Amino acid sequence: MSELSLSKVYNPNAGWYKGDFHAHTDCSDGRYSAVEVIQLSLAQGLDFFAITDHNTINSFDQFGDDPAMLVIPGIEVTLDMGHCNIFGMEGNPASAWQHWMEGICGDQIWVPLSDGRTTTSLLREIAACGLFTSINHPFLNPWEWRDADTELNNVQFIEVWNDHLWPDNRQATPMALDFWTRTLNAGMRLTAIGGSDFHFLPGDQPEWPGEYMGMPSTWVYAEELSGKAVLDGLRQHRAFISIGPKLIFEAKCADEIVGIGGSLPLAESEIEIFARVEALEGEGCLRLIQNGTNFENFPVRGEEAQFKTRVHLDGRENQWFRLEACNRKGDLLAFTNPIFIGPEPQLVSGKFGDYC
């Protein structure tokens, strides 16, 4: 079996890299082969994507020994209680949970948990292997996350934005954004990501709207373009999700400047926030969100705009800020992970249902 490498470097430079964390091939329920998905991704201007077939890693050996772009190995654990992507695998890991999936699930979907496992115990097993989990499309019926008792302390990422062409995501994405906001306000620091959930192109299946690779995209700031560096960037919350615009978001306190995913110390002082949007089509606005509440709006006319504003901190409690871009109708076009004010809280746990 060919191994998809996490360590191979495709670009040695640090920067923002554009990718997709949810895609399928014809090894599960997608239409296109592994090589064809690479070609479609390159045509969309992506730097990387994660392959996440349902309950199988059979596509790994179809990419060859030297893929034309970075392919992050993954798998979509597809159960009757919900779907989650697993990242950080390399080759064919001989782990108990992987053997369980191959033996019980095969490439089936809607598989019930068995052998006394719960979603919490399964995610704990996966985390113990040093892997990363993203709960996928958590409110998209009928593929929503159904286990309210799932402990979130073994989850690192949340797929807040799934395939924007699927009609029901018009409701499911705002619900996921609200859920993520509540976890942030509780002190959890889950990284928001996006994924096209690519199976077919529009027009391939008359009864399905289809998807485009990289719609939405997740932009990750990584120290280099490799699987390891991209996942490290995600773990540090250095990411924004977009269906077009590119966002720059920074905060300055005294002489310290941090970007998306960074933290400033808790203090009674003033911070300066800088934001910039590029490649926004037509009129729209930038929204500065503080602890889940709209703090300030900034109209945008033209493809590029920027603003600065000041916020006074009271020094008494942790806070966070994120940036959103929307069009003139208010439709979401892009949003960042937060900039945090204050130290990272001690481990905060909670059940999925606590934040619904």
Side-chain angles (χ1 to χ4, degrees):
M1 172 173 287
S2 174
E3 291 190 3
L4 293 176
S5 174
L6 291 174
S7 57
K8 180 179 177 179
V9 178
Y10 284 79
N11 187 327
N13 298 314
W16 287 99
Y17 291 105
K18 181 182 180 182
D20 190 335
F21 283 101
H22 196 163
H24 300 277
T25 71
D26 57 5
C27 285
S28 59
D29 59 348
R31 173 169 180 170
Y32 296 93
S33 70
V35 173
E36 289 172 323
V37 174
I38 284 182
Q39 294 169 344
L40 292 168
S41 300
L42 290 170
Q44 289 293 102
L46 299 187
D47 299 301
F48 69 89
F49 69 89
I51 191 63
T52 56
D53 279 316
H54 296 282
N55 297 339
T56 181
I57 59 172
N58 287 342
S59 66
F60 286 12
D61 60 357
Q62 293 191 2
F63 288 99
D65 294 327
D66 189 21
M69 66 184 298
L70 172 59
V71 181
I72 297 176
I75 187 170
E76 185 170 18
V77 176
T78 310
L79 306 169
D80 61 350
M81 298 295 283
H83 300 188
C84 58
N85 280 342
I86 311 301
F87 306 113
M89 307 159 61
E90 197 158 18
N92 187 4
S95 55
W97 74 270
Q98 181 71 45
H99 289 315
W100 172 81
M101 283 197 55
E102 291 174 343
I104 303 299
C105 299
D107 59 358
Q108 302 177 68
I109 57 176
W110 302 105
V111 177
L113 284 163
S114 61
D115 299 335
R117 281 179 168 86
T118 64
T119 58
T120 293
S121 66
L122 179 61
L123 295 178
R124 188 181 300 123
E125 286 183 68
I126 292 168
C129 296
L131 306 178
F132 302 104
T133 297
S134 167
I135 291 181
N136 292 344
H137 40 68
F139 298 98
L140 179 59
N141 181 276
W143 306 286
E144 73 275 15
W145 195 259
R146 299 181 177 185
D147 189 355
D149 291 328
T150 302
E151 293 283 351
L152 294 177
N153 56 326
N154 291 308
V155 175
Q156 295 78 37
F157 314 138
I158 294 288
E159 188 187 66
V160 171
W161 203 346
N162 174 270
D163 176 20
H164 81 293
L165 295 181
W166 187 260
D168 290 347
N169 271 325
R170 294 170 188 165
Q171 291 182 318
T173 295
M175 292 173 67
L177 193 63
D178 289 344
F179 170 86
W180 177 54
T181 295
R182 286 189 283 271
T183 67
L184 291 170
N185 283 340
M188 303 186 74
R189 293 192 178 183
L190 302 174
T191 301
I193 65 174
S196 68
D197 207 350
F198 180 75
H199 294 82
F200 316 101
L201 287 171
D204 283 345
Q205 300 284 346
E207 68 275 22
W208 296 82
E211 305 89 26
Y212 291 107
M213 286 295 295
M215 293 295 282
S217 297
T218 303
W219 291 76
V220 181
Y221 187 87
E223 296 301 322
E224 63 186 19
L225 183 56
S226 69
K228 181 180 183 302
V230 168
L231 293 175
D232 283 347
L234 269 195
R235 185 177 51 81
Q236 298 174 63
H237 325 294
R238 299 190 298 186
F240 68 89
I241 300 91
S242 176
I243 58 170
K246 187 173 181 179
L247 299 178
I248 298 169
F249 186 43
E250 296 176 337
K252 178 180 179 181
C253 182
D255 294 327
E256 186 173 1
I257 300 176
V258 298
I260 298 168
S263 296
L264 289 171
L266 189 63
E268 188 168 348
S269 61
E270 194 172 63
I271 62 170
E272 183 176 80
I273 290 178
F274 172 80
R276 179 178 175 85
V277 60
E278 300 173 358
L280 189 148
E281 297 183 2
E283 296 182 3
C285 79
L286 292 175
R287 294 192 290 242
L288 179 61
I289 308 298
Q290 179 186 28
N291 297 343
T293 300
N294 195 342
F295 180 82
E296 195 167 355
N297 289 343
F298 302 89
V300 176
R301 295 177 177 85
E303 291 190 355
E304 298 182 4
Q306 64 185 44
F307 74 83
K308 290 183 180 180
T309 190
R310 294 181 179 273
V311 180
H312 182 76
L313 305 177
D314 62 15
R316 291 177 294 181
E317 60 182 17
N318 288 9
Q319 300 181 57
W320 57 267
F321 296 87
R322 71 167 179 253
L323 184 68
E324 298 179 353
C326 63
N327 63 19
R328 63 185 302 176
K329 297 186 295 183
D331 299 324
L332 189 66
L333 301 177
F335 68 93
T336 71
N337 275 272
I339 291 174
F340 300 97
I341 310 298
E344 185 164 0
Q346 294 182 345
L347 181 63
V348 178
S349 186
K351 297 181 178 180
F352 179 86
D354 295 342
Y355 305 104
C356 294

